[in-house]
Amino acid sequence: MSVLVLGGAGYIGSHAVYQLIEQGYDVAVVDNLQTGHRQAVHTAARFYEGDVRDKEFLTEVFTHEDVEGVFHFCAYSLVGESVEKPLAYFNNNVQGLQSVLEVMYTFNVKHIVFSSTAAVYGEPDTIPINETDTTNPTSPYGESKLVMEKMMCWCHEAYGVNFAALRYFNVAGAHPDGVIGEDHRPETHLIPIVLEVALEQREQLTVFGDDYNTADGSCIRDYLHVVDLIDAHILAFDYLKNGGASGAFNLGSSNGYSVFEILEAARAVTGHSINASVGKRRAGDPSVLIAASDKAKNQLGWQPRFDDINEIIRHAWEWHQHHPHGYDKEEV
Ligand code: NAD
Ligand code: UDP
């Protein structure tokens, strides 16, 4: 039987494919390559190019594959863009999951591990954030993910579909082998942007605000290594197969770093000075987001292996140094 990885050509999905194959799973991938890269897909995985909203296409895939469970990474996921284009976000994210759940129902596939996000919480009331805390998204992106979680809840009640909604905090790093990494276009995430400055591909980092209510005035985030994140997905899949209760799980390192602290760490790891200047706040940015990940640790048996921020940055740096233009043809 196979694990079907939807969005397996993207940053996080490609790491899932890689680690599933390393652990001996039979893997099939679906991706429309809108933001993903064909070269990121492990050669041992079967690849189907297409859109998950296309039910006919997805039905064809499920006909060819004996699917044991689905890892669902497909989404549009830029907070700012979602504010500009909410309908595009609800269309791709919500309609995408609708199609996936319908085809899973037709083929009696019972397990789905799902990419949710800390953006479902909005501005938190307390830190660290627990799964039981209020969900009040401040963007269409976060709202779409919350709707998707609720769709899975109702399908669990009605059809016995088991789900783990993994609420990621800030995902970073790359596979330690250096073969796959982060290549978003445009890049919006802090760590790859800082490394692009180190590589002289950008002039400087703009720190989005230094007037937050934090020790150095910049925002604090909880950075999690992508390999640890995927460990949690594979554990969640086993947990569901063993009858574990469906629900949401936070995934973070439980350590908070400010933007300035990330900048300093990146300067130390890369040995480059990395220019930075302070700009305006970015709309929709909460000041502090730190996960309480005890539920994932206790119920899934998850234990992050790479919770040192320097190591997370070092793995990302190795990827960026060896693939300065990402997955462009000349580099692979
Ligand atoms: P990504 O854009 O690199 O990967 C998404 C993949 O899905 C891409 O390969 C894209 O081509 C594919 N895709 C999108 N819509 C599709 C569709 N309709 N049909 C088929 N393929 C489609 O993004 P990522 O950073 O790897 O994020 C993966 C998931 O994790 C997303 O759901 C995102 O919301 C979630 N997430 C990411 C972060 C982060 O820090 N990167 C944090 C929280 C949550
Ligand atoms: N950030 C920044 N400059 C940038 C990109 C990001 O100051 O060019 C800050 C951003 O305001 C946030 C943190 O870095 O506080 C992490 O942002 P990222 O986009 O990586 O992830 P997010 O927290 O939005 O999911």
Side-chain angles (χ1 to χ4, degrees):
M1 296 187 89
S2 58
V3 178
L4 184 60
V5 181
L6 307 174
Y11 165 46
I12 299 172
S14 61
H15 284 79
V17 174
Y18 204 94
Q19 285 171 242
L20 281 164
I21 286 170
E22 281 178 332
Q23 294 191 25
Y25 287 87
D26 184 43
V27 181
V29 172
V30 164
D31 202 296
N32 64 6
L33 300 182
Q34 190 170 354
T35 56
H37 309 275
R38 181 67 183 87
Q39 301 96 311
V41 180
H42 197 296
T43 49
R46 290 176 297 288
F47 181 70
Y48 299 88
E49 183 173 345
D51 196 299
V52 293
R53 288 165 294 182
D54 179 349
K55 258 186 81 180
E56 210 175 304
F57 158 74
L58 208 52
T59 301
E60 188 82 355
V61 174
F62 275 72
T63 307
H64 279 94
E65 297 291 335
D66 185 11
V67 179
E68 185 180 18
V70 170
F71 284 24
H72 185 42
F73 296 97
C74 299
Y76 291 158
S77 52
L78 301 180
V79 170
E81 185 183 67
S82 78
V83 178
E84 307 283 317
K85 301 177 182 168
L87 291 176
Y89 272 68
F90 287 110
N91 181 293
N92 196 36
N93 297 0
V94 176
Q95 195 179 318
L97 181 65
Q98 169 91 23
S99 165
V100 170
L101 290 170
E102 284 178 8
V103 178
M104 285 176 66
Y105 177 74
T106 304
F107 286 83
N108 200 29
V109 175
K110 292 291 187 199
H111 310 300
I112 178 166
V113 181
F114 172 72
S115 302
S116 191
T117 166
V120 299
Y121 293 109
E123 186 69 50
D125 297 329
T126 50
I127 294 291
I129 304 171
N130 277 289
E131 290 84 354
T132 47
D133 289 354
T134 309
T135 47
N136 191 11
T138 50
S139 70
Y141 165 61
E143 194 77 69
S144 73
K145 290 280 178 168
L146 191 57
V147 169
M148 292 159 91
E149 287 195 6
K150 289 181 177 170
M151 288 166 72
M152 291 186 296
C153 268
W154 290 111
C155 290
H156 174 68
E157 300 265 318
Y159 315 127
V161 171
N162 303 309
F163 72 95
L166 305 181
R167 295 176 175 168
Y168 318 162
F169 282 62
N170 289 62
V171 187
H175 196 283
D177 284 1
V179 285
I180 48 174
E182 188 164 8
D183 181 7
H184 290 121
R185 301 176 196 189
E187 190 50 76
T188 61
H189 294 110
L190 177 64
I191 290 177
I193 284 178
V194 164
L195 298 179
E196 285 174 11
V197 180
L199 283 172
E200 297 182 1
Q201 294 174 332
R202 285 177 193 254
E203 274 185 22
Q204 60 164 20
L205 168 76
T206 303
V207 176
F208 294 147
D210 68 349
D211 56 351
Y212 286 93
N213 187 18
T214 59
D216 66 20
S218 67
C219 289
I220 293 177
R221 293 289 179 273
D222 179 340
Y223 295 87
L224 166 71
H225 198 296
V226 64
V227 167
D228 287 330
L229 179 81
I230 301 307
D231 282 350
H233 285 66
I234 297 174
L235 288 167
F237 184 42
D238 285 343
Y239 163 88
L240 294 178
K241 286 192 289 182
N242 290 326
S246 292
F249 298 83
N250 285 344
L251 295 177
S253 69
S254 307
N255 299 313
Y257 293 94
S258 73
V259 176
F260 288 118
E261 285 173 330
I262 294 293
L263 185 60
E264 277 314 313
R267 284 174 173 152
V269 167
T270 64
H272 290 262
S273 54
I274 309 182
N275 289 333
S277 69
V278 175
K280 284 194 293 202
R281 288 184 177 201
R282 185 171 66 178
D285 269 347
S287 53
V288 183
L289 290 175
I290 301 173
S293 299
D294 311 73
K295 184 179 172 191
K297 288 178 181 158
N298 295 335
Q299 295 193 16
L300 306 180
W302 180 57
Q303 200 48 58
R305 292 182 273 161
F306 302 104
D307 56 2
D308 172 3
I309 192 65
N310 297 306
E311 196 160 28
I312 294 175
I313 295 174
R314 189 166 57 76
H315 287 158
W317 178 232
E318 280 162 11
W319 158 259
H320 282 275
Q321 274 182 303
H322 292 109
H323 303 83
H325 303 293
Y327 288 105
D328 278 355
K329 283 192 181 60
E330 57 272 20
E331 258 87 42
V332 287

